[in-house]
Amino acid sequence: MEAWRVETFLTLSLILTSLLASASASASNGDLLSHLSTFHAMVHEITPDQVYSMWLTVRAKAIAPVLQVVVWMCMVMSVMLVVEATYMALVSLGVKIIGWKPEKQYKWEAIGEDEEKGSSAYPTVLVQIPMYNEIEVYKLSIGAACGLTWPSDRIIIQVLDDSTDPLIKDLVKVECETWASKGVNIKYCERIDRKGFKAGALKKGMEFPYAQECDYVVIFDADFQPEPDYLNRTVPFLIHNPKIALVQARWDFVNYSMSLLTRIQKMSLDYHFKVEQESGSATFAFFSFNGTAGVWRVSAINEAGGWKDRTTVEDMDLAVRATLKGWKFLYINELRVKSELPTTFKAYCRQQHRWVCGAANLFKKMAWEIIIATEVSLVKKFYMLYSFFLVRRVVAPVVSFVLYCLVLPLSVLVPEVYLPIWGVAYIPTTLLFITAIRHPKSLHLMPFWILFENVMSLHRIKAAIVGLFETATFNEWIVTKKVGNNLKDTLDIPLLEKSKTKLRDKINLSELGFSAFLFFCASYNLAFGGTNSYYINLYMQATAFLVLGFNYVGTCYCASFH
């Protein structure tokens, strides 16, 4: 083994020497030629054993100490992460065990028509549907919104169309006119530009006089299809509890079985709703608005300062500002709204970039506002700053990538680095168990979920850095492509199917680069051994990066009009 290493370093030194000799041969400056020749001679005087000895010294004295500091930083962050996950899981399980229902904590009474008041007993509700070139789903969302059970004179459907395709704009406008001819109070709204993206559209929609006269506003993204009784199950909480600003429903997914990609996404989002949203609602009455499938009190939006487009998470921004004004939120796990998951890996990465980057950027912008807020308790401030923002939005993406995709593979090349077993084995196992107990029907997908999340950690840490340091793409917004009616009722699709994309989109260089790096580290560990053997784990990670590097995941059926 030692002989192989010496030969390797000898080969590298000879290559370097050859390059220097070539440079010196082409140099016209005599001094440069002389210096290069001298250096060439010095290199030849160094033996392979000396080169290898120098490498061992540099590795032990310079590289290992730096890497060890990173290891302990990752250990601290891992402990923060597992404590936070355990806390949320215990709260979520407690809610499930004791049978806690929102109706038990907050007053709720069904709205009944008064013979004297008639439909005026119902508050006026505005339903906003922001969309952008949503050719695949516009009929579904508009139809579902128009089918909501509510007095026709107490509901307004507002379609906020930012589409840039003239054909799609005409189709959406015709659909609105069709529903209007059936007696539905529906408004078609368009803007000259897309300033502020979704936040700008929602803000513009609220500026109309009829919108300001509404008591509550419901937001549905273009792929969301609420059940007819949605308003009857949510609005009463707002009517009878004046401190509640938001009632959030859970997302359901019509295409979750489409591919392995969509099934893994469902696992992650189910955990978000079952654990994060439910624990936040049950303890501090605070969680992030999911941007859709929620009912807002219009007065709370106005008091919080309205919609702002300073980040790509305008929903979280509004939720934090409303909380700082003393408002409470309620999450209803039993109420589900149908929606759609991204069907290609690139679409999912763009969505995750928007969410992670925006959240990190919002943390940077609002940390001081949270600290100086006067209408929020110290405990709630700590929860918002530490748990909600720091641990979940910064620590989670950083430790997932740095520890498992950088430090662990590098440790096989630098054996002087000590990795505590509790940090690289016990904590990940605990986190896996916490996730698995809420997904008993998806245990067979857990290995795929773990490997996929390792790959996604690369994109999430990149997004978090972009958001924190506000680089060029920190406010980039790319709308997720939908499938809609092109989704077949019966799908005969293998779990791993190559995405049908253009040639330039078929290769993800960052994933392929990390795959090569992990394959090298795994092979080095297998060949030379060492104090720890991680090569099985590293080979699996490398394979996952390789598969996603070539886009061998997900599938997509999108309509084409050109």
Side-chain angles (χ1 to χ4, degrees), residues 11 39 58 65 98 125 144 149 155 161 196 232 256 271 323 338 389 412 560:
T11 302
F39 181 77
V58 171
I98 66 176
V125 177
T149 303
I155 186 172
D161 189 12
N232 286 312
Y256 77 91
Y271 175 83
T323 298
K338 295 177 183 177
F389 273 120
V412 305
S560 176

Side-chain angles (χ1 to χ4, degrees), residues 279-491:
S279 62
S281 177
T283 53
F284 292 97
F286 167 74
F287 51 84
S288 175
F289 173 44
N290 291 114
T292 178
V295 190
W296 275 93
R297 190 184 299 272
V298 173
S299 60
I301 294 178
N302 294 334
E303 185 182 350
W307 294 102
K308 294 187 178 181
D309 59 5
R310 56 182 177 174
T311 71
T312 55
V313 286
E314 74 294 325
D315 42 14
M316 185 184 294
D317 190 345
L318 177 61
V320 173
R321 284 184 284 115
T323 298
L324 297 183
K325 292 294 183 180
W327 290 99
K328 296 181 179 181
F329 302 157
L330 175 64
Y331 167 70
I332 307 177
N333 190 61
E334 290 74 21
L335 179 59
R336 304 189 182 192
V337 180
K338 295 177 183 177
S339 63
E340 188 178 300
L341 293 162
T343 54
T344 65
F345 180 59
K346 282 192 177 294
Y348 180 64
C349 288
R350 287 167 181 156
Q351 183 193 71
Q352 290 296 299
H353 176 88
R354 189 170 73 241
W355 291 356
V356 177
C357 174
N361 188 240
L362 184 64
F363 178 38
K364 176 182 178 180
K365 285 181 165 69
M366 292 212 66
W368 180 247
E369 293 182 42
I370 295 172
I371 292 172
I372 64 175
T374 58
E375 299 183 48
V376 182
S377 67
L378 287 175
V379 175
K380 197 166 187 176
K381 286 182 184 181
F382 177 79
Y383 174 78
M384 294 174 71
L385 287 170
Y386 176 80
S387 299
F388 182 78
F389 273 120
L390 180 62
V391 177
R392 300 183 210 170
R393 270 75 197 182
V394 177
V395 168
V398 169
V399 73
S400 299
F401 176 75
V402 174
L403 179 58
Y404 302 111
C405 298
L406 280 182
V407 172
L408 192 143
L410 285 175
S411 69
V412 305
L413 304 177
V414 187
E416 292 87 353
V417 173
Y418 168 68
L419 285 176
I421 187 67
W422 57 266
V424 295
Y426 299 157
I427 286 181
T429 302
T430 303
L431 291 171
L432 177 62
F433 176 76
I434 290 172
T435 304
I437 59 177
R438 298 314 305 266
H439 299 89
K441 296 181 180 179
S442 302
L443 289 177
H444 61 293
L445 295 176
M446 277 296 167
F448 298 103
W449 179 78
I450 295 170
L451 293 172
F452 183 79
E453 286 297 302
N454 273 343
V455 178
M456 286 307 303
S457 68
L458 167 65
H459 295 274
R460 292 189 180 117
I461 190 174
K462 190 160 51 175
I465 293 172
V466 167
L468 287 172
F469 295 97
E470 297 188 1
T471 62
T473 60
F474 87 95
N475 213 19
E476 183 181 53
W477 184 293
I478 300 176
V479 176
T480 305
K481 189 71 174 175
K482 311 297 192 306
V483 175
N485 281 326
N486 296 287
L487 178 63
K488 301 177 182 179
D489 292 332
T490 303
L491 290 168

Side-chain angles (χ1 to χ4, degrees), residues 528-547:
F528 299 110
T531 56
N532 297 302
S533 296
Y534 300 124
Y535 58 87
I536 295 177
N537 174 276
L538 294 176
Y539 274 130
M540 293 174 68
Q541 285 193 60
T543 303
F545 272 96
L546 182 66
V547 168

Side-chain angles (χ1 to χ4, degrees), residues 9-62:
F9 281 101
L10 177 60
T11 302
L12 291 175
S13 64
L14 288 174
I15 293 174
L16 178 61
T17 302
S18 300
L19 291 173
L20 292 172
S22 299
S24 64
S26 60
S28 58
N29 188 297
D31 291 339
L32 177 63
L33 181 61
S34 175
H35 286 308
L36 289 176
S37 299
T38 302
F39 181 77
H40 185 271
M42 289 174 60
V43 168
H44 273 287
E45 292 177 3
I46 300 175
T47 65
D49 287 336
Q50 290 176 316
V51 172
Y52 184 61
S53 178
M54 285 190 290
W55 158 244
L56 292 180
T57 302
V58 171
R59 189 179 75 183
K61 301 296 184 181

Side-chain angles (χ1 to χ4, degrees), residues 93-278:
L93 282 175
V95 167
K96 184 177 180 64
I97 292 171
I98 66 176
W100 181 88
K101 301 291 182 184
E103 294 84 353
K104 294 182 180 180
Q105 184 174 0
Y106 298 99
K107 185 179 179 181
W108 185 94
E109 292 180 5
I111 305 173
E113 285 197 20
D114 191 297
E115 292 184 2
E116 295 182 1
K117 294 183 178 179
S119 62
S120 62
Y122 287 78
T124 306
V125 177
L126 175 68
V127 180
Q128 292 184 310
I129 310 175
M131 56 178 59
Y132 174 75
N133 293 334
E134 308 283 3
I135 185 64
E136 298 84 6
V137 293
Y138 75 95
K139 283 189 176 182
L140 298 176
S141 56
I142 294 175
C146 292
L148 290 169
T149 303
W150 207 254
S152 59
D153 61 332
R154 309 296 289 177
I155 186 172
I156 304 171
I157 311 298
Q158 187 185 64
V159 178
L160 305 168
D161 189 12
D162 274 358
S163 299
T164 54
D165 189 316
L167 174 59
I168 298 176
K169 291 177 76 75
D170 290 341
L171 290 173
V172 175
K173 191 179 297 183
V174 168
E175 183 69 12
C176 292
E177 292 171 351
T178 301
W179 281 102
S181 66
K182 298 178 182 179
V184 176
N185 189 0
I186 185 169
K187 312 287 185 181
Y188 176 81
C189 308
E190 57 182 331
R191 298 190 295 164
I192 298 176
D193 57 46
R194 290 188 67 215
K195 183 180 182 303
F197 306 110
K198 181 180 175 181
L202 295 171
K203 182 178 180 180
K204 181 68 175 178
M206 292 302 298
E207 292 176 355
F208 290 94
Y210 63 81
Q212 284 298 316
E213 294 175 1
C214 294
D215 302 293
Y216 309 110
V217 57
V218 191
I219 300 163
F220 293 116
D221 281 352
D223 58 312
F224 277 69
Q225 305 167 54
E227 296 296 328
D229 64 347
Y230 177 87
L231 293 177
N232 286 312
R233 296 179 64 181
T234 55
V235 173
F237 284 109
L238 294 164
I239 294 175
H240 300 295
N241 302 275
K243 290 304 295 178
I244 292 181
L246 165 68
V247 178
Q248 174 72 57
R250 180 178 167 180
W251 297 0
D252 204 6
F253 310 105
V254 296
N255 64 332
Y256 77 91
S257 61
M258 191 174 189
S259 66
L260 180 60
L261 173 64
T262 53
R263 296 182 189 189
I264 290 174
Q265 289 180 68
K266 182 180 185 298
M267 290 175 62
S268 297
L269 285 169
D270 281 350
Y271 175 83
H272 166 69
F273 282 104
K274 288 180 180 179
V275 178
E276 293 183 3
Q277 299 296 74
E278 196 161 54

